[in-house]
Amino acid sequence: MTLTFLGIESSCDDTAAAVVREDGQILSSVVAGQTELHANFGGVVPEIAARAHAEKLDLCVEDALATSGLSLSDLDGVAVTAGPGLIGGVMAGVMMAKGIAAGSGLPLVGVNHLAGHALTPRLTDNIAFPYLMLLVSGGHCQFLRVDRPDRFRRLGGTIDDAPGEAFDKVAKLLGLAQPGGPSVEKEAASGDPARFALPRPLLDRAGLDMSFSGLKTAVLRVRDELVPAQGGLTRQDRADLCAGFQAATAEVLTEKTRRAVAEHPVPVLAVAGGVAANASIRAGLEAVAANAGARFLAPPLPLCTDNAAMIAWAGIEAFRLGQRDGMDLAGRPRWPLDQNAAPMLGAGRKGAKA
Ligand code: KG4
Ligand code: ZN
């Protein structure tokens, strides 16, 4: 029998539901974003996010079921993100999943959001364990060695901001549109990356930890020197700052990935997260994989960014290992994938960086 799962995701600012089959077929994947609701606040507002999730979840589930052409009685289980993330949103999703499971008698599986990202290459490309995953988004930045659906080793990651968060903040301080990644990348195309000397944080230090908050502050400092001296920023200043920031970020990610691949030789290097859309960052990572003789895998963007297909898939993988959750399944704001890794410092704009 081929398992079919409903997946539900609501841990950050996307409300999502999907129906996925064990053979990798995505029968539906619905994602309702909230960007416009948070646009005036410079970040995700947890209360607004939770309320929007509660309003949209049932519509997303209905839509996902209708698109798949299946009804609840055709499914084999319900998987839901039970953390880490903004707890109001996580709880809205968990309650929804519990309601569906209780009403239909379907098994319930609580999924770690990061496991969803980390297992996506198996959904899209059916790859074998072990493999290396670099997760780079607005809320996450970590290297994971994935050994089994329930065994992840966190090899390193950011000690402060995630790279996407830094792209967004740089865009904001230069007056560019949100989300910052695409705007900064566009400006950078006509900029000189060498005009301003920006730092490469933690590159001189051994290991796989990274830091992006100081880099963003360095951009702020250059801006604050230029503005009073010239009475503002020229288009070229903006482009050069974007190019410099992007080059520094790409260099840090590429070099740390080179070290990760050297220390943990595995056949596949996979990436996930919105930042993997950046052409120069992606090119750097592809080159690292090619030099190490590893296959480079970047799932299509809609499956790289937050979605529920990855949660349904991670649920299927966990279910096959025997995981079943009860009505006592709890939402967890923090939930490190690797229980043995040192706890991370601080919590980011988009919630805990587990
Ligand atoms: O994975 P994602 O959609 O959401 C989470 O953060 O979970 O990632 C969004 C992040 C944003 O911070 C956005 O600025 C960044 O990914 N991003 C990019 C690019 N496209 C999106 N960063 C750099 N270059 C891009 N082209
Ligand atoms: Zn995510």
Side-chain angles (χ1 to χ4, degrees), residues 69-339:
L70 300 180
S71 60
L72 287 175
S73 58
D74 300 315
L75 303 181
D76 301 294
V78 183
V80 61
T81 301
L86 300 172
I87 193 62
V90 171
M91 281 173 59
V94 169
M95 299 299 264
M96 179 84 201
K98 282 182 185 174
I100 292 171
S104 64
L106 289 172
L108 175 69
V109 177
V111 167
N112 184 310
H113 176 87
L114 301 169
H117 280 302
L119 295 171
T120 299
R122 287 173 51 77
L123 165 63
T124 56
D125 292 81
N126 194 24
I127 61 167
F129 297 112
Y131 57 93
L132 206 64
M133 157 68 64
L134 170 62
L135 195 52
V136 270
S137 71
H140 329 289
C141 179
Q142 52 187 299
F143 290 109
L144 293 166
R145 191 192 138 112
V146 188
D147 289 316
R148 271 179 28 168
D150 60 349
R151 193 172 298 159
F152 307 88
R153 248 179 83 194
R154 189 182 181 286
L155 307 173
T158 185
I159 59 166
D160 42 53
D161 290 355
E165 192 175 352
F167 268 96
D168 294 342
K169 287 177 178 170
V170 164
K172 194 171 172 213
L173 67 90
L174 294 178
L176 303 171
Q178 296 293 326
S183 331
V184 169
E185 181 171 21
K186 192 157 162 259
E187 286 292 313
S190 52
D192 170 11
R195 176 169 158 209
F196 301 108
L198 296 172
R200 269 62 174 159
L202 298 190
L203 212 51
D204 54 348
R205 211 177 302 163
L208 300 177
D209 279 343
M210 291 170 277
S211 158
F212 296 97
S213 150
L215 185 51
K216 162 213 70 196
T217 310
V219 173
L220 175 66
R221 215 170 292 131
V222 174
R223 184 201 70 175
D224 288 348
E225 278 166 18
L226 289 176
V227 169
Q230 308 178 159
L233 291 181
T234 64
R235 280 213 65 166
Q236 197 57 50
D237 294 337
R238 235 180 238 119
D240 293 344
L241 271 170
C242 286
F245 166 77
Q246 182 176 270
T249 306
E251 192 180 324
V252 170
L253 283 169
T254 303
E255 170 57 19
K256 292 283 177 171
T257 305
R258 194 192 59 71
R259 289 182 203 172
V261 170
E263 287 168 26
H264 302 270
V266 288
V268 176
L269 168 67
V271 290
V275 180
N278 185 285
S280 63
I281 292 174
R282 188 185 276 241
L285 301 177
E286 268 177 334
V288 164
N291 283 335
R295 178 176 169 203
F296 179 77
L297 206 69
L301 202 60
L303 294 173
C304 254
T305 56
D306 286 351
N307 67 87
M310 69 179 189
I311 302 304
W313 174 258
I316 289 174
E317 295 240 37
F319 184 81
R320 287 197 299 223
L321 293 184
Q323 185 184 330
R324 309 284 185 276
D325 288 296
M327 287 300 133
D328 56 350
L329 173 66
R332 299 173 62 175
R334 283 180 181 266
W335 183 1
L337 263 186
D338 180 350
Q339 309 288 345

